Amino acid sequence: MAEEKKKYVLEITRGHRKYRLEFRSEEDMLNWEKAYRKSRLYIPYFLAGVGVNLLLYKAGLDLSRNLFLGALVGLAVPFTTMFLFSELHYRLFMARRCK
C-alpha cells in the first residue's frame, strides 16, 4: 500500500479571517512561519534606518556630492538595519513566545 504522507497544517489568523496552509514537511512550515512573523518587522526597522540616515546627515555627513557613496550609504543603512534588527527582534522575543 502507498504510505500516507503526513500533512503539516498551519493556521494563521488575520483579523477575522483564518487561513489554513498545508506543508510537505515540518521544516517548510517552520521556515514559512518565521518569514511571515519577520515580514511584519521590516517596515518599522526600515524606517528606523531612514531615521539613522537623517541623523547622519544632520550630524554633518553629507554624501550628496558623491553619487556612489551617497547611494551606497543611503541604501545600505536602511536595509542593514531592517534585516539585522528584524532578525535580532525575532530571536529575542518571538522565538521564545512561539515555543
Side-chain angles (χ1 to χ4, degrees), residues 11-68:
E11 291 189 5
I12 300 290
T13 304
R14 291 192 67 154
H16 62 281
R17 289 187 173 180
K18 260 190 177 177
Y19 298 98
R20 182 185 164 119
L21 305 169
E22 294 181 1
F23 297 93
R24 292 183 184 160
S25 68
E26 185 177 11
E27 183 181 352
D28 288 344
M29 181 181 72
L30 294 176
N31 287 337
W32 190 92
E33 185 179 16
K34 178 182 177 184
Y36 171 74
R37 294 193 186 284
K38 280 178 60 178
S39 68
R40 293 193 212 173
L41 302 171
Y42 287 157
I43 300 290
Y45 286 132
F46 181 82
L47 293 176
V50 171
V52 169
N53 270 345
L54 181 65
L55 291 175
L56 288 173
Y57 177 75
K58 294 288 184 180
L61 182 65
D62 185 13
L63 298 172
S64 62
R65 294 183 189 261
N66 189 335
L67 185 63
F68 177 71

Side-chain angles (χ1 to χ4, degrees), residues 67-77:
L67 185 63
F68 177 71
L69 278 178
L72 183 67
V73 171
L75 291 173
V77 170

Side-chain angles (χ1 to χ4, degrees), residues 82-93:
M82 178 177 76
F83 290 123
L84 288 179
F85 287 159
S86 65
E87 182 66 27
L88 184 67
H89 186 132
Y90 181 82
R91 287 187 185 204
L92 290 178
F93 299 110

